[in-house]
Amino acid sequence: MTNAFSGRDSADLTLDRLARDELETDDVRIHPQTLARQAEVAERHANPQLAANFRRAAELALLDEQQVLSLYESLRPHRATGEELEALAARLDAVPAPLCAAVVREAAEVYARRGLLA
Amino acid sequence: MTDRPVGRIRFMDQQNVNLDGFAHEDADLGLVALRAPADPEPSLVVREGRVVEMDGRPAEDFDSLDLMIAGHGIDLSVAAEAMALDDVELARMFVDPSVPRHEIVRLVAGTTPAKLARVVALLRPAELTLAMTKLRARRTPSNQAHVTNRLDDPLLLAADAATAAAYGFREIETTVPVLADAPSNAVAVTVGAAVASAGVLVQCSVEEAMELEMGIRGLVSYAETVSLYGTESVFVDGDDTPYSKAILAAAYASRGVKMRVSSGAGAEVLMGGAERCSMLYLESRCVSLARAIGVQGVQNGGIDGASVASAVPRGVRELMAENLMVMARNLEACTGNDALMSESDVRRTARTLPILLAGSDYVCSGFGSIQRYDNMFGPSQWNAEDLDDWLALQRDWGVDGGLRTADPDDVGRLRREAAEACREVYQWLGLADFSDEHVDLAVDAAGSKDLGDPDPLVVLGAAQAIRGSGLGSLEVARALLETGYEDAAGRVLDMLAARVQGDHLQTAAIFDESMAVLSLVTDPNDYAGPGTGYEPDEQRQAQIDAIRQARGVEDLRADQSAWAGDWLRPTGAASVGTDPREVVIGLSPGVGRTVWRTLSGLPVLEVLRELLAGLEEEGCRARVVRVNATLDLGMVGLTAARLAGSGIGIGLQGKGTALIHRRDLPPLANLELYSMAPVITPTLYRLLGTNAGRHAKGATPVPARNPYTDEAIEARYHTSVIALVALERACVDRALGNEDLEVSL
């Protein structure tokens, strides 16, 4: 059994419930714990990088659509200053999304070196 | 002297292959396939657990790509062992069936981009094929379709998506000529695919941010337009960095959306940013990067730059080597054969064939399931024009290229259901209204040119409504259910449930038609030499074999029966004639019993009418005899000649082959042979009769010139010939002897 973001069991995603308009967006949204479990599977199948991605995804699963879209936008080249990226990392730490915060901090360092900051 | 080349060269210049561009190698521009002088020597220096030098470059000079790869993409626990291996030794392991895939994966995880490029460049084409057979992640091969049209017409998209699913494609990629139409296309394709099959993954390829938005909202189930490039300058020109891509990868996974990246030779050359490196080395950086940022798969093998690679020597080999690097890095490979790389059918087939033979996670990263003109990615390497060719190729080689024959009746039914379901969904959601006539046109259309001129604002309006209201797949499923498409609704809902479970996020995942996930985890490639690895099961083999054009004797018997008539009546045993003007027409045993129509489509009666008219013109008397003892044309003709008062006979087989014989010749000699049955015309049969008459009178007629054709006449007719011969052979009866026949013209 797998629980959706809302906590509903994925086995409950039935046409009857759909017909009764009982299903919400969060009932078809993946749960962070599921991503953590997929990370273990990837680890066991010789891809630690894919596992790391799923762990970052488990953090992003907690953010809403706009937060995810704007995080991506901030990391595109010449979008943010070093201070803005550090502020972003701090907000991610607070989610808590420490793995994603680490990516942002590393990016800030690399962007400063390679002239990719705003 | 003339300044133009001779005719032979002018003729060759006109052939399709000469529409292709061929370039001299130019390392300064990056126009080199496998190895350029500026490619770095492989190296890796690690100090205190950190990479301090990679491929000849010290850490202080690393660009953002190097930093991502060196920091996250190399397994340092195996690096020393892997980097110390001789290139040839490692290359041999790729093809050695006794070295298992997981051992290659373990070692390659410790290699740098330059090292892996060096190794795969050593593999010759047959070795690449063998290595691909062994190294792809998923055991069961599959294929991906493009479904698009010039108009973004939702009903046609739905009908074409259903068609693609019916033909066996497990992923469907759509895109738009008008960016704002994207959400509408995603909905239409989702509906169409769900009508035809469970578990078809759907994506809409657009700009990165918009694609992500659609993924998060659940309008698509996978993403692929996430481009990586092999140099930092081109990467940044593409408005991304390795770090933004890493976050993008996590963003998709965070919503349960499958995702792979796109790279491939030629992109850096086209953007003037190859930094004098070979295409293979730059692509090796992309593949290392893909692994480093944590995506499950890569679409490469040229893609939009495929024709750049194939313009230079060994370019096509480079394209395949790119795919192999992806597999060796333990990632899903979506192996190009996407953008059309040649105007020549020979070149494009030759480019694809080794990958089809080897099998790949997705043989094509976009088989244009629609016609070339409707492909909004640009024409593909393979298109609707080639679907039957692909099915024939699978059958010829006994390999699984991911497709199957769809029953024509099913295609018609599914297209109607898809178009109608799409109309109902759009109406129920308040997106647009479509007329009955529009549905009918979409169902029957071979392409969007058959749709007339629908109002483009209707699609745009629908797309804006979808985007504005934040509508997703859950609402699409509800609309399908409310409008009576329960199965399709269930399939859309099942896909959403799969997203919650997340098993399809693992490497190389597809769903089969019962929604089981096939991936590196659940269906790992276990090739270890002959007798191992993927082999189509009995049911799948039957699908591959059963193309709709295949015919057997029973089909031909039915075809022939439709032309049956009672115009030949036996009147008794045939004896030797005495009239010197008599010519006998000998018929093979099946004529008028099982065979009534020749290969050219002429009824045999029509042929007889011409022969008799020709003989009559020469003042000869004709007798028609059935030779029951043999179907050999020489013997039929000779028997007829021996029965004829003149000693001249005509032999005619049911399939239309005919000859003139004389009683004193050996069986295999004859006076005139009309061997090209499929192209013999009534006029030629008349001439045959005339010439037989002239022989009977002792004259020397001008022999008929056999018609010539440059068509593959044997390919067209040999199967019919075999069946016709079988029908005739069943009628052979030596005991019946030769029978006189009365012909009712």
Side-chain angles (χ1 to χ4, degrees):
Chain A
M1 130 177 176
T2 310
N3 286 338
F5 193 82
S6 61
R8 193 192 275 279
D9 185 344
S10 67
D12 289 349
L13 298 173
T14 62
L15 287 178
D16 283 348
R17 288 195 176 81
L18 183 68
R20 292 198 300 269
D21 206 9
E22 287 175 13
L23 302 180
E24 305 281 334
T25 309
D26 283 352
D27 296 331
V28 294
R29 181 170 161 188
I30 196 166
H31 195 282
Q33 276 171 9
T34 308
L35 286 159
R37 210 169 59 234
Q38 294 296 347
E40 290 165 22
V41 176
E43 195 90 55
R44 282 201 302 277
H45 287 84
N47 198 335
Q49 290 84 358
L50 182 60
N53 178 51
F54 290 153
R55 291 191 184 103
R56 290 190 287 270
E59 295 180 348
L60 294 186
L62 299 166
L63 306 187
D64 67 30
E65 177 183 331
Q66 273 318 313
Q67 288 171 315
V68 173
L69 292 172
S70 81
L71 169 61
Y72 167 58
E73 184 61 23
S74 303
L75 280 177
R76 297 181 95 166
H78 310 299
R79 297 296 202 281
T81 62
E83 293 75 37
E84 284 164 343
L85 287 179
E86 179 44 43
L88 177 58
R91 284 200 301 279
L92 286 167
D93 274 331
V95 171
L99 299 170
C100 291
V103 172
V104 172
R105 289 199 175 92
E106 186 179 326
E109 211 182 299
V110 172
Y111 290 6
R113 219 172 116 171
R114 302 300 299 172
L116 297 172
L117 292 168
Chain B
M1 282 291 285
T2 162
D3 55 2
R4 68 174 193 165
V6 293
R8 282 294 298 270
I9 303 300
R10 295 198 306 277
F11 170 74
M12 286 165 70
D13 283 346
Q14 286 162 12
Q15 305 305 314
N16 267 5
V17 69
N18 290 315
L19 293 168
D20 293 349
F22 293 95
H24 293 298
E25 283 188 327
D26 188 334
D28 285 341
L29 300 177
L31 268 174
V32 180
L34 299 174
R35 189 154 165 185
D39 288 352
E41 286 296 314
S43 73
L44 189 71
V45 181
V46 181
R47 247 177 243 133
E48 291 161 17
R50 292 182 68 88
V51 175
V52 296
E53 181 197 304
M54 182 173 73
D55 293 341
R57 191 179 278 181
E60 53 272 25
D61 295 340
F62 280 178
D63 63 19
S64 55
L65 281 63
D66 296 320
L67 286 163
M68 179 60 89
I69 294 167
H72 306 277
I74 297 176
D75 180 353
L76 297 183
S77 70
V78 73
E81 176 189 356
M83 293 299 289
L85 277 173
D86 179 61
D87 293 346
V88 173
E89 193 181 343
L90 188 49
R92 284 182 184 168
M93 295 168 87
F94 274 54
V95 293
D96 182 348
S98 68
V99 178
R101 178 182 186 277
H102 64 76
E103 177 61 6
I104 307 289
V105 164
R106 183 185 75 84
L107 289 167
V108 168
T111 60
T112 63
K115 178 74 174 178
L116 182 57
R118 283 283 170 93
V119 170
V120 297
L122 288 169
L123 298 174
R124 285 167 292 205
E127 292 160 350
L128 285 170
T129 308
L130 195 59
M132 189 172 272
T133 305
K134 177 168 101 174
L135 291 177
R136 73 165 182 273
R138 190 195 325 116
R139 193 171 189 272
T140 310
S142 75
N143 216 330
Q144 182 201 98
H146 289 164
V147 174
T148 63
N149 66 58
R150 287 151 53 248
L151 308 171
D152 290 331
D153 184 80
L155 303 190
L156 183 59
L157 286 166
D160 284 339
T163 306
Y167 273 95
F169 290 103
R170 300 312 293 161
E171 271 190 4
I172 294 177
E173 179 181 29
T174 187
T175 192
V176 284
V178 178
L179 178 63
D181 289 346
S184 170
N185 283 30
V187 169
V189 171
T190 298
V191 168
V195 163
S197 171
V200 176
L201 291 156
V202 170
Q203 77 139 331
C204 183
S205 167
V206 285
E207 185 276 331
E208 260 86 344
M210 185 158 183
E211 189 162 326
L212 177 61
E213 184 186 313
M214 287 195 293
I216 288 179
R217 294 199 176 165
L219 286 172
V220 294
S221 43
Y222 81 101
E224 180 177 66
T225 313
V226 181
S227 302
L228 301 186
Y229 302 98
T231 61
E232 187 181 73
S233 61
V234 177
F235 216 117
V236 173
D237 283 346
D239 205 16
D240 266 301
T241 76
Y243 294 85
S244 62
K245 292 296 191 195
I247 283 297
L248 196 54
Y252 278 111
S254 78
R255 293 311 192 265
V257 179
K258 173 181 172 167
M259 184 266 238
R260 74 173 68 91
V261 293
S262 293
S263 51
E268 298 83 1
V269 182
L270 285 170
M271 290 170 86
E275 299 176 4
R276 303 170 58 228
C277 293
S278 70
M279 297 184 211
L280 185 64
Y281 168 65
L282 292 185
E283 183 55 23
S284 189
R285 292 188 92 195
C286 292
V287 177
S288 288
L289 208 49
R291 177 69 190 261
I293 67 178
V295 295
Q296 64 81 34
V298 179
Q299 163 190 232
N300 72 355
I303 317 302
D304 292 338
S307 55
V308 176
S310 55
V312 299
R314 292 169 294 281
V316 165
R317 182 159 150 183
E318 191 277 341
L319 295 176
M320 190 166 176
E322 291 184 5
N323 305 141
L324 189 65
M325 295 194 295
V326 173
M327 295 172 178
R329 290 212 184 269
N330 202 20
L331 301 172
E332 170 190 76
C334 204
T335 44
N337 297 303
D338 184 316
L340 182 62
M341 51 62 80
S342 174
E343 292 282 2
S344 152
D345 291 338
V346 176
R347 284 190 85 212
R348 70 187 171 92
T349 306
R351 178 263 184 275
T352 299
L353 188 64
I355 296 172
L356 171 62
L357 298 182
S360 155
D361 295 325
Y362 297 87
V363 181
C364 299
S365 62
F367 186 124
S369 71
I370 34 56
Q371 285 192 57
R372 283 188 181 196
Y373 74 73
D374 263 334
N375 197 327
M376 293 299 107
F377 293 99
S380 274
Q381 178 84 342
W382 297 86
N383 301 282
E385 287 86 342
D386 312 307
L387 259 172
D388 281 332
D389 290 83
W390 189 270
L391 294 166
L393 286 175
Q394 290 188 149
R395 185 175 183 265
D396 289 343
W397 289 94
V399 295
D400 190 338
L403 303 194
R404 64 185 173 200
T405 294
D407 180 88
D409 291 341
D410 288 345
V411 173
R413 181 179 55 78
L414 290 170
R415 289 182 69 87
R416 175 155 297 280
E417 195 179 332
E420 285 176 352
C422 187
R423 172 174 66 174
E424 298 291 317
V425 165
Y426 274 55
Q427 190 179 35
W428 198 85
L429 293 171
L431 302 175
D433 291 313
F434 297 101
S435 67
D436 290 346
E437 191 202 356
H438 195 146
V439 171
D440 291 343
L441 287 172
V443 170
D444 194 55
S448 65
K449 287 179 184 170
D450 300 334
L451 287 187
D453 202 11
D455 180 1
L457 291 179
V458 171
V459 180
L460 200 57
Q464 281 164 352
I466 297 166
R467 202 174 182 196
S469 64
L471 182 151
S473 281
L474 199 55
E475 287 75 20
V476 173
R478 179 93 198 279
L480 280 166
L481 187 62
E482 294 292 336
T483 54
Y485 295 91
E486 193 171 315
D487 287 349
R491 288 166 175 171
V492 174
L493 194 59
D494 284 348
M495 195 59 98
L496 289 167
R499 233 178 212 231
V500 170
Q501 286 148 5
D503 294 333
H504 72 299
L505 300 176
Q506 296 296 338
T507 302
I510 54 171
F511 295 96
D512 69 12
E513 287 187 277
S514 54
M515 288 305 287
V517 173
L518 303 181
S519 69
L520 172 74
V521 174
T522 63
D523 184 35
N525 184 9
D526 56 357
Y527 180 82
T532 67
Y534 177 79
E535 193 63 28
D537 63 21
E538 206 175 314
Q539 190 192 353
R540 177 66 185 130
Q541 192 65 57
Q543 279 184 346
I544 290 169
D545 295 350
I547 60 173
R548 71 192 154 88
Q549 303 89 336
R551 292 285 181 274
V553 174
E554 288 317 307
D555 299 301
L556 196 85
R557 190 191 298 281
D559 289 351
Q560 286 286 340
S561 297
W563 294 82
D566 57 356
W567 36 266
L568 278 185
R569 203 169 56 81
T571 56
S575 53
V576 178
T578 51
D579 184 342
R581 291 175 308 142
E582 184 193 58
V583 173
V584 170
I585 301 173
L587 303 180
S588 54
V591 174
R593 285 186 180 141
T594 51
V595 180
W596 283 275
R597 200 175 179 219
T598 72
L599 287 176
S600 69
L602 278 178
V604 181
L605 183 61
E606 194 65 34
V607 173
L608 274 176
R609 189 175 284 142
E610 295 297 334
L611 294 175
L612 292 170
L615 287 167
E616 192 182 325
E617 281 168 14
E618 292 301 315
C620 289
R621 204 170 73 76
R623 180 154 58 110
V624 180
V625 169
R626 182 185 280 130
V627 178
N628 286 303
T630 176
L631 51 82
D632 175 78
L633 183 62
M635 279 311 296
V636 171
L638 184 58
T639 305
R642 287 173 178 164
L643 289 171
S646 67
I648 296 295
I650 293 172
L652 176 67
Q653 279 181 325
K655 68 188 171 76
T657 315
L659 52 67
I660 305 173
H661 225 305
R662 203 174 64 203
R663 66 178 157 221
D664 59 335
L665 295 173
L668 292 181
N670 57 61
L671 296 172
E672 285 183 28
L673 175 64
Y674 294 63
S675 61
M676 299 288 276
V679 287
I680 304 176
T681 58
T683 312
L684 267 173
Y685 284 118
R686 171 78 64 116
L687 179 62
L688 191 157
T690 306
N691 281 358
R694 288 181 183 168
H695 279 295
K697 294 191 298 186
T700 309
V702 179
R705 198 176 277 273
N706 260 306
Y708 172 76
T709 171
D710 63 357
E711 291 161 349
I713 205 88
E714 295 186 342
R716 282 198 200 181
Y717 294 104
H718 262 169
T719 50
S720 298
V721 169
I722 291 163
L724 276 171
V725 166
L727 291 181
E728 293 240 35
R729 187 166 294 284
C731 295
V732 171
D733 186 349
R734 198 168 284 278
L736 270 179
N738 305 313
E739 297 171 290
D740 276 329
L741 298 173
E742 188 181 285
V743 184
S744 332
L745 292 173

